[in-house]
Amino acid sequence: MTVAPETIRSPEFVPRATRLAQRPVKISALCELCHSRKAAVKRPKNLQKLCQLCFFNVFETEIHQTITNNNLYHRGEKLALGASGGKDSTVLAYVMKTLNDRYDYGLDLVLLSIDEGIVGYRDDSLATVKRNQVQYGLPLEIVSYKDLYNWTMDEIVTCCGIRNSCTYCGVLRRQALDRGALKLGINHVVTGHNADDMAETVLMNILRGDLARLEKSTAIITESAGSPVKRSKPFKFTYQKEIVLYAHFKKLDYFSTECTYAPEAFRGTARELMKQLEKSRSSTVIDIIYSGENLLLQPKRINKQKQFRKVKTIDKKTAENGQNNNKNREMEVLSDGSISLGHDRAKYKDGNKCLKCGYLSSNKICKACVLLQTLEKMKPKITIDNNISTDGAAKVLRSLETLSF
Amino acid sequence: MKVTVELLGGLHQIFTFGAKIVDVNVLEEAELGALVETLCLSLSSSFSNCSPSLADPVYRTSLARFVDCEHLQLTGEYKIIPGIMVLINDVDWELFDEEETVLHPNDVITFTSTLHGG
Ligand SMILES: [Zn+2]
Ligand SMILES: [Zn+2]
């Protein structure tokens, strides 16, 4: 069977509302709450059928309850809302603004956006955030990688290629919001992480045997001793599907593209597994989060109980040449994913500061600084090797990647 | 009969026609599954070798962003992957019969990716 070329074509311009008004009425159930309007949503959480208005109401009220039940914020607090222009953060900004006004939380909200410095990629999403700033009347602060790390993502990609740059991107991005907030004198970052994200992380940690990370991954608010920045996730119990539906029905202005840095393969598999489980058990997502919250590690006994996993560094050359003078050949991966270089591991626990940048770290030198040090070493070689401008390097490399895909 | 398809959340990038909104001709009383098949076949017709098979990794990779390729191989049915949300005239397709929903002229079918991009 072939498709005739005229089967799919661009429509003559008819406004969306008109198109929707033209179509015949399909029979669907009535809303289970108001019993008067046509249902538009089947909630993944409990399969309840709701009309648009009742859905908005339930969606917002549940988030309000999450915030008040957990005492996430206090009057007068200044919050940095992580803003990427994507759907989660756009809904976050809209809902936080709405609830702050409706229930008079008395919060001082600021949109905080990180500019990784990828020419031609961030432009569109930053433009979205700038429109959100106007639409929601919230102040916007943009902090760049250049400000924070003195490197743009384009420069990093030029230096070490797109594959390796994913490692950098992950580590640097995780810290960027915290560092950005500190720069602005704000010590509470709010992110749009949702229930699906959280269940996925719990599943991954369990499948990897990384139970030490469970506690942190299910916390609705994280506060480490000595850390100046709190993090909270008011969407902890909010399903991804409902966030997308909410943004769609409210016609929120968000930027959507396929993620530039595809998720690591393992996360992708965990996500698929979860989606499959969800098909046969709708409460899967909440169940996984609940399990994650209640799986508690026994308190560690000193030394003996502690498990260390030794991993070889990626430094293959050193290994191949049989050189064993490299002190970093074996690194210890700690439970929080950071790398320990020194031997005084007992001394460097949560609450210590990086000797280089002063940022909270469980090691002498934080992971970001370790990566940046490696980059600095590679830099001189690169400037001789290729003289091309680094502007847009990430984008060009990515386009090349898709071509060869 | 004519129905309108909206491809949101970056989904339009999968298809060669590139547009986010397209009109598609389907048979009278076609089910949504048939529409999905038409969209997928338009993807295949853009390949130079006239009938790409699922064994072709490039074709399969594109297709896998929209439909369940393993299911297609086993049953010949086009089934939307779980990460995509479908609305028919702005109503969740789970309130109808999903792929088996019978379409009417001028229906607006919205596909949007729920994955990616916080
Ligand atoms: Zn209702
Ligand atoms: Zn540091």
Side-chain angles (χ1 to χ4, degrees):
Chain A
M1 180 179 154
T2 49
V3 180
E6 67 273 19
T7 307
I8 300 176
R9 58 190 152 75
S10 294
E12 299 148 42
F13 181 75
V14 183
R16 191 170 197 274
T18 319
R19 274 193 278 116
L20 282 173
Q22 280 171 356
R23 95 279 155 173
V25 180
K26 266 199 172 52
I27 306 130
S28 73
L30 279 180
C31 171
E32 289 175 10
L33 279 183
C34 65
H35 304 285
S36 61
R37 284 177 293 258
K38 213 178 70 167
V41 177
K42 191 165 172 186
R43 298 197 74 198
K45 195 174 283 185
N46 51 15
L47 306 182
Q48 198 177 33
K49 297 165 185 171
L50 298 180
C51 68
Q52 279 195 20
L53 286 179
C54 290
F55 167 66
F56 292 153
N57 201 0
V58 165
F59 182 92
E60 290 156 5
T61 308
E62 282 188 3
I63 294 165
H64 168 64
Q65 278 165 357
T66 305
I67 290 171
T68 48
N69 292 347
N70 295 283
N71 295 314
L72 289 189
Y73 314 116
H74 57 80
R75 180 166 291 277
E77 195 171 7
K78 197 166 185 183
L79 305 180
L81 307 177
S84 68
K87 50 184 175 283
D88 293 332
S89 65
T90 302
V91 174
L92 178 76
Y94 180 84
V95 170
M96 286 303 289
K97 161 84 179 159
T98 305
L99 296 178
N100 192 31
D101 292 349
R102 182 183 302 163
Y103 297 103
D104 188 29
Y105 292 159
L107 296 171
D108 188 357
L109 305 174
V110 177
L111 295 173
L112 172 59
S113 214
I114 303 296
D115 182 2
E116 291 94 341
I118 305 177
V119 172
Y121 165 65
R122 262 299 179 222
D123 306 1
D124 293 336
S125 54
L126 282 177
T128 312
V129 178
K130 283 174 188 160
R131 285 197 303 276
N132 290 163
Q133 169 193 16
V134 180
Q135 287 153 356
Y136 310 149
L138 293 172
L140 166 67
E141 298 283 352
I142 300 175
V143 181
S144 72
Y145 269 27
K146 198 80 185 169
D147 299 338
L148 293 174
Y149 303 117
N150 204 27
W151 280 81
T152 70
M153 203 58 211
D154 274 338
E155 286 168 348
I156 294 175
V157 171
T158 319
C159 208
C160 60
I162 188 107
R163 283 287 170 224
N164 291 329
S165 68
C166 290
T167 322
Y168 291 93
C169 195
V171 173
L172 300 182
R173 188 156 53 181
R174 224 165 294 146
Q175 292 195 2
L177 276 176
D178 288 9
R179 288 176 187 252
L182 280 181
K183 239 181 148 77
L184 303 172
I186 303 175
N187 53 21
H188 196 147
V189 170
V190 187
T191 60
H193 286 99
N194 59 48
D196 295 60
D197 295 335
M198 193 173 276
E200 205 174 277
T201 310
V202 169
L203 204 56
M204 276 170 69
N205 287 337
I206 291 176
L207 294 176
R208 281 198 296 229
D210 201 347
L211 295 175
R213 273 202 227 182
L214 268 183
E215 203 177 338
K216 213 174 176 185
S217 64
T218 55
I220 191 163
I221 184 158
T222 46
E223 245 178 305
S224 9
S227 167
V229 182
K230 285 190 223 174
R231 268 189 180 242
S232 58
K233 303 168 183 168
F235 287 177
K236 176 180 175 182
F237 299 111
T238 311
Y239 276 62
Q240 194 134 36
K241 179 186 165 184
E242 298 197 352
I243 292 174
V244 178
L245 277 168
Y246 187 86
H248 180 78
F249 290 149
K250 284 269 181 186
K251 298 184 177 61
L252 298 186
D253 180 7
Y254 68 88
F255 175 71
S256 55
T257 182
E258 291 267 304
C259 185
T260 346
Y261 301 100
E264 41 172 328
F266 194 70
R267 180 171 281 273
T269 316
R271 176 179 293 169
E272 266 171 45
L273 174 61
M274 204 178 70
K275 288 282 169 201
Q276 293 299 334
L277 289 169
E278 212 180 352
K279 281 258 152 182
S280 43
R281 187 182 166 87
S282 60
S283 59
T284 297
V285 167
I286 293 296
D287 293 345
I288 292 177
I289 296 176
Y290 181 78
S291 302
E293 283 174 331
N294 290 284
L295 275 170
L296 286 179
L297 279 184
Q298 279 188 342
K300 284 176 192 159
R301 270 176 255 146
I302 311 150
N303 287 330
K304 284 235 166 177
Q305 274 287 77
K306 223 176 178 182
Q307 282 191 356
F308 296 110
R309 278 196 273 166
K310 300 277 186 183
V311 288
K312 279 182 185 152
T313 59
I314 323 138
D315 203 352
K316 275 186 194 152
K317 266 188 198 160
T318 337
E320 277 164 15
N321 298 346
Q323 294 169 345
N324 51 6
N325 55 345
N326 190 342
K327 283 175 200 157
N328 297 350
R329 217 185 54 175
E330 282 200 324
M331 295 192 293
E332 178 195 336
V333 176
L334 296 177
S335 58
D336 62 350
S338 57
I339 300 164
S340 157
L341 296 173
H343 298 286
D344 307 335
R345 52 176 83 95
K347 283 188 187 168
Y348 288 90
K349 280 186 185 153
D350 213 22
N352 285 288
K353 285 185 174 150
C354 168
L355 295 177
K356 265 202 102 174
C357 68
Y359 188 78
L360 182 88
S361 165
S362 41
N363 307 304
K364 278 181 181 167
I365 295 174
C366 75
K367 208 174 169 186
C369 286
V370 171
L371 286 174
L372 293 172
Q373 266 179 338
T374 323
L375 273 176
E376 288 295 340
K377 279 181 205 149
M378 289 161 76
K379 199 174 187 178
K381 204 180 106 206
I382 296 299
T383 39
I384 300 162
D385 281 359
N386 52 16
N387 232 343
I388 56 156
S389 156
T390 57
D391 269 8
K395 200 176 185 209
V396 171
L397 271 174
R398 224 176 12 256
S399 336
L400 287 174
E401 272 220 326
T402 14
L403 284 177
S404 62
F405 206 84
Chain B
M1 69 178 184
K2 185 210 83 181
V3 295
T4 302
V5 173
E6 295 181 321
L7 297 157
L8 308 178
L11 283 179
H12 69 285
Q13 291 162 351
I14 303 174
F15 297 95
T16 40
F17 42 80
K20 289 183 184 176
I21 301 176
V22 285
D23 282 348
V24 180
N25 271 318
V26 288
L27 296 174
E28 292 295 320
E29 294 184 26
E31 290 182 357
L32 198 141
L35 170 69
V36 173
E37 183 174 356
T38 308
L39 288 171
C40 289
L41 287 172
S42 84
L43 184 63
S44 76
S45 66
S46 69
F47 280 75
S48 48
N49 50 334
C50 38
S51 59
S53 71
L54 282 170
D56 181 340
V58 182
Y59 176 59
R60 196 186 174 112
T61 308
S62 311
L63 205 60
R65 288 156 73 190
F66 198 57
V67 293
D68 184 340
C69 285
E70 270 170 53
H71 185 81
L72 177 59
Q73 212 156 17
L74 288 171
T75 64
E77 286 169 23
Y78 289 80
K79 210 170 157 22
I80 295 285
I81 56 167
I84 292 177
M85 193 181 70
V86 187
L87 300 172
I88 304 168
N89 303 327
D90 262 355
V91 175
D92 191 348
W93 75 334
E94 288 180 38
L95 291 172
F96 303 119
D97 302 308
E98 308 198 355
E99 275 94 351
E100 283 153 34
T101 312
V102 175
L103 299 178
H104 294 105
N106 298 318
D107 271 353
V108 179
I109 296 99
T110 311
F111 296 93
T112 179
S113 175
T114 64
L115 306 175
H116 302 311

